[in-house]
Amino acid sequence: MSRWKPNAEGRFRAAAMELFIERSYEQTTVADIAERAGLTPRTFFRHFADKREVLFNGSARLQEAMLSAVRAAPAHAVAIEAIVAALDGMVAFFGDDRAPARLRRSIVASTPELRERELIKLATLSATLAEAMRARGINEPDASLAAEGAIAVFRVAFAQWLDESELRSLGEIVSASLNRLGTIVAANGPKCSSLRSSRS
Amino acid sequence: MSRWKPNAEGRFRAAAMELFIERSYEQTTVADIAERAGLTPRTFFRHFADKREVLFNGSARLQEAMLSAVRAAPAHAVAIEAIVAALDGMVAFFGDDRAPARLRRSIVASTPELRERELIKLATLSATLAEAMRARGINEPDASLAAEGAIAVFRVAFAQWLDESELRSLGEIVSASLNRLGTIVAANGPKCSSLRSSRS
DNA sequence: CTTTCGATGTCATTGAGTGACATGACTATA
DNA sequence: TATAGTCATGTCACTCAATGACATCGAAAG
């Protein structure tokens, strides 16, 4: 019997998904996952920083997809062009099949611990996007604002995409949301509306 | 000696802040905090859901400030007016003193665990704001988009407020950021720019 | 004074996460 | 083929966050 098991991470992920569905995330211990994967708990933590990470494999690939889309954008793109490219890359990453995303969301949504992790992944995505925009000559605070706005649009649109039936594609929803955000925020008077500058 | 200690939560918070500064968050155990507070670890968890929560006392009050500001807005406010009110309420909540916020941020920023919790507090704030807007007749997806956008603006502006010297007030920075976001997003063509609707 | 109730203490336990060290397996090089 | 090096894994022991069960103390009400 060989001691070395090929594709340990894949084994862990598959075992974890099975157990998270059979029971739930909370009622599954790392020992359970390791047992089903035919490995030990100690090895689990050599492949994943913590129990949550086993569910967040895709975030690195999503980030890569977003980044290469931004870098492929025209050279002197302004902020809006950069985030449109980023959103485009993210939309392409997910394709048409909502089922896996829905399944994953049902697991993540069921546990505060996992919702927290999801948020930090999105925040990382936002920070990475802002950084990429700065690297293309878009300065602060535009880079951060545009990045935060883009991720916010994506989050809202993505949730809608999962909630509604197969009517509109993700791209259509994202596009509509981006336009909607523009309409909303642009309704603000050029001078700052009624926000009082509270110098005490 | 009386067994009952008045203001247990306050004692825990004070003890925790001291220790987080002396050592760090990570190198402080709940047992340490309890000892300095003159209480037991078990009691700590009766007052705080987990170790992180001891640092997030203000978030409930911030949410209250934001909510009452939104509810105080004119009756048929459109999205932009509602979020301006919300931002106004949040700005007022922090006042002029940046020192406490800076200290707290230095602690939170030093630990991924705490950054995650911070994000979920902001996400909760966003969801609450969206809910309040819906209660005032603003429909989806405008409510969610505006709420996400507003929180994004606040987050970026708040970070700037802490980073720069005492030049501009928080209100001024928030106001400027909101306008900037409007300028950026409004630059998007009315029809959706180049985001291809990727119906595979 | 006694009863009741809420806050705390005590004890035991589970499960996440980590460090140290041993061991098996694959690879390179002679 | 032999030997050394390296990498993934197993084993053991440990810390610490978090929780349940139960005892106890203090205060307030009757």
Side-chain angles (χ1 to χ4, degrees):
Chain A
M1 290 292 280
S2 128
R3 184 171 198 157
W4 190 83
K5 313 292 179 55
N7 194 20
E9 297 193 11
R11 284 162 161 267
F12 279 127
R13 270 194 294 270
M17 281 301 292
E18 288 176 22
L19 289 164
F20 293 165
I21 295 169
E22 288 178 21
R23 311 169 198 178
S24 68
Y25 175 83
E26 287 165 349
Q27 293 177 342
T28 301
T29 70
V30 174
D32 294 334
I33 300 172
E35 188 183 15
R36 179 156 311 193
L39 294 160
T40 62
R42 189 65 186 86
T43 301
F44 179 93
F45 290 108
R46 288 199 181 95
H47 288 272
F48 305 96
D50 52 48
K51 184 182 168 188
R52 288 147 235 126
E53 279 302 302
V54 78
L55 269 168
F56 291 86
N57 183 45
S59 72
R61 283 179 299 138
L62 173 60
Q63 179 163 311
E64 243 345 285
M66 182 195 75
L67 275 183
S68 50
V70 171
R71 291 197 264 250
H76 346 68
V78 293
I80 186 65
E81 295 165 330
I83 70 177
V84 165
L87 290 168
D88 201 19
M90 294 167 73
V91 166
F93 176 81
F94 283 99
D96 269 357
D97 193 3
R98 307 175 203 217
R102 284 190 176 127
L103 176 59
R104 185 177 171 284
R105 184 177 67 160
S106 75
I107 298 174
V108 171
S110 72
T111 308
E113 211 174 316
L114 293 173
R115 286 197 294 270
E116 290 193 10
R117 182 56 53 90
E118 181 96 314
L119 289 173
I120 218 176
K121 294 297 183 187
L122 286 169
T124 304
L125 209 58
S126 172
T128 306
L129 176 54
E131 169 63 27
M133 290 173 70
R134 268 179 251 118
R136 293 184 74 79
I138 298 163
N139 292 321
E140 288 300 344
D142 287 27
S144 288
L145 281 168
E148 291 270 348
I151 300 301
V153 163
F154 187 81
R155 185 195 328 219
V156 171
F158 192 76
Q160 240 183 303
W161 183 60
L162 295 186
D163 283 333
E164 71 183 28
S165 27
E166 328 296 289
L167 286 160
R168 298 181 293 165
S169 74
L170 178 56
E172 287 165 345
I173 301 174
V174 166
S175 175
S177 294
L178 182 58
N179 288 326
R180 203 79 200 97
L181 179 61
T183 305
I184 292 168
V185 183
N188 195 21
K191 284 303 173 194
C192 100
S193 173
S194 70
L195 195 75
R196 32 160 221 247
S197 307
S198 63
R199 261 273 179 248
S200 104
Chain B
M1 287 294 281
S2 123
R3 185 172 196 154
W4 191 82
K5 312 292 178 53
N7 194 21
E9 296 194 12
R11 284 164 162 265
F12 279 128
R13 269 194 293 272
M17 280 301 291
E18 288 175 23
L19 289 163
F20 293 164
I21 295 169
E22 289 178 20
R23 315 168 194 181
S24 67
Y25 175 84
E26 287 166 348
Q27 293 178 343
T28 301
T29 70
V30 174
D32 294 334
I33 300 172
E35 188 184 13
R36 177 155 314 190
L39 294 161
T40 63
R42 190 63 186 88
T43 300
F44 179 93
F45 289 106
R46 287 201 182 92
H47 287 270
F48 304 96
D50 55 47
K51 183 180 167 190
R52 284 144 243 136
E53 279 305 302
V54 78
L55 269 167
F56 291 86
N57 182 46
S59 72
R61 284 178 298 138
L62 173 61
Q63 179 163 309
E64 242 348 282
M66 182 195 75
L67 274 184
S68 51
V70 171
R71 291 198 265 249
H76 342 69
V78 293
I80 184 66
E81 295 165 329
I83 70 176
V84 165
L87 289 169
D88 201 19
M90 295 167 72
V91 166
F93 176 81
F94 282 98
D96 269 357
D97 193 3
R98 308 176 202 216
R102 283 190 177 126
L103 177 58
R104 184 175 171 286
R105 183 177 70 160
S106 75
I107 297 173
V108 172
S110 72
T111 308
E113 210 174 319
L114 294 174
R115 286 197 295 270
E116 290 193 7
R117 182 56 53 89
E118 181 94 317
L119 289 173
I120 218 175
K121 293 298 183 186
L122 286 169
T124 303
L125 209 59
S126 171
T128 306
L129 176 54
E131 169 62 28
M133 291 173 70
R134 267 179 253 120
R136 293 186 73 79
I138 298 165
N139 292 321
E140 289 297 344
D142 287 29
S144 288
L145 281 169
E148 291 269 349
I151 300 302
V153 162
F154 186 81
R155 185 197 325 221
V156 170
F158 191 77
Q160 241 182 303
W161 184 60
L162 295 186
D163 283 334
E164 70 184 28
S165 27
E166 327 297 290
L167 286 159
R168 296 181 295 165
S169 73
L170 178 55
E172 287 165 345
I173 301 175
V174 166
S175 174
S177 293
L178 181 57
N179 288 326
R180 202 81 200 95
L181 179 61
T183 305
I184 292 168
V185 184
N188 195 21
K191 285 304 174 192
C192 100
S193 173
S194 69
L195 195 75
R196 32 163 221 247
S197 308
S198 62
R199 263 272 180 250
S200 104

